[in-house]
Amino acid sequence: GENVEQHPSTLSVQEGDSAVIKCTYSDSASNYFPWYKQELGKRPQLIIDIRSNVGEKKDQRIAVTLNKTAKHFSLHITETQPEDSAVYFCAQLGGSYIPTFGRGTSLIVHP
Amino acid sequence: GAVVSQHPSRVICKSGTSVKIECRSLDFQATTMFWYRQFPKQSLMLMATSNEGSKATYEQGVEKDKFLINHASLTLSTLTVTSAHPEDSSFYICSAGAGDQPQHFGDGTRLSIL
């Protein structure tokens, strides 16, 4: 079945540093890859997504890269700020239209 | 603003009580909605796929008689936790989206069974 592996599970950085979270997937039919940010006790919120016809997408300090050949995609956050601290989930969507989520990465940005 | 509304946000009740959680898509029609359970510091565990006008599709290990799902309209799905017990205490969250479009999540329901 569809599977998404996410690493690292915890990421601790200093304010201003960059943070990178990586996910790998197994379903070659996957064509949509969203990233969600979840603050404690709140709902996951979509922060960026990418479709299989592009290799990179940027939105201010956030970027996502996709390597379909290697079946992995990554979230890049530059100039991190304390308010970036949260749990980040990657997900993939394939032909079944049922999203599969990674296990999450707890990002801690130290001021 | 929110495009998916989930109620209630918090429920505290006695063991044996049945609890109904509502999930509404506010500005789009959702033929499919998803119900998740989330334990502290863990990922979203898909419980079932709610299909408008037909039976829900449950994931392996999820008891369909325990977690009743009804998707009677294109904008509303409900999850009823029947005869809830302390082990059912968790954070339940729904999402909705159309086809290969982004999923939008409700605010979640924190269920505490005493």
Side-chain angles (χ1 to χ4, degrees):
Chain A
E2 299 161 354
N3 187 39
V4 178
E5 292 194 8
Q6 182 172 346
H7 298 281
S9 58
T10 305
L11 180 58
S12 183
V13 300
Q14 289 295 128
E15 182 177 2
D17 288 349
S18 295
V20 180
I21 303 170
K22 297 181 180 179
C23 287
T24 59
Y25 61 97
S26 58
D27 185 5
S28 58
S30 299
N31 52 26
Y32 175 63
F33 308 89
W35 283 90
Y36 291 87
K37 175 183 180 182
Q38 187 179 26
E39 297 178 0
L40 189 63
K42 297 188 177 180
R43 64 179 163 184
Q45 292 196 310
L46 180 71
I47 55 172
I48 196 167
D49 56 8
I50 192 167
R51 295 193 182 271
S52 58
N53 57 343
V54 297
E56 184 176 4
K57 184 177 179 180
K58 285 185 178 180
D59 183 3
Q60 300 182 334
R61 296 187 296 109
I62 296 173
V64 56
T65 57
L66 171 65
N67 184 325
K68 283 214 74 178
T69 303
K71 294 183 183 173
H72 65 72
F73 56 111
S74 300
L75 176 71
H76 304 255
I77 305 175
T78 59
E79 300 173 32
T80 54
Q81 301 167 3
E83 50 266 38
D84 294 330
S85 298
V87 179
Y88 291 81
F89 293 100
C90 64
Q92 64 89 32
L93 198 67
S96 68
Y97 296 130
I98 297 175
T100 304
F101 290 86
R103 288 185 171 273
T105 296
S106 177
L107 175 63
I108 303 166
V109 181
H110 299 281
Chain B
V3 296
V4 174
S5 173
Q6 184 174 344
H7 293 282
S9 58
R10 180 80 191 250
V11 179
I12 302 173
C13 57
K14 294 180 179 179
S15 184
T17 306
S18 291
V19 178
K20 180 185 281 189
I21 304 169
E22 291 189 350
C23 182
R24 293 180 185 273
S25 57
L26 299 180
D27 55 3
F28 66 98
Q29 294 182 331
T31 54
T32 302
M33 292 185 179
F34 300 98
W35 287 97
Y36 300 88
R37 184 172 179 175
Q38 189 176 34
F39 293 101
K41 298 185 179 181
Q42 294 192 23
S43 188
L44 299 156
M45 183 189 80
L46 180 65
M47 298 175 65
T49 302
S50 175
N51 305 298
E52 188 270 335
S54 65
K55 292 182 179 180
T57 305
Y58 289 83
E59 296 299 302
Q60 191 172 8
V62 178
E63 299 176 57
K64 59 180 68 175
D65 294 331
K66 176 74 171 177
F67 300 99
L68 300 179
I69 291 172
N70 184 277
H71 194 153
S73 76
L74 286 169
T75 59
L76 173 64
S77 175
T78 61
L79 168 68
T80 301
V81 184
T82 61
S83 186
H85 293 285
E87 58 266 29
D88 298 322
S89 298
S90 193
F91 188 62
Y92 294 87
I93 193 164
C94 68
S95 75
D100 64 349
Q101 296 304 305
Q103 289 291 311
H104 298 280
F105 287 86
D107 282 328
T109 298
R110 187 158 302 283
L111 177 61
S112 300
I113 307 299
L114 305 177

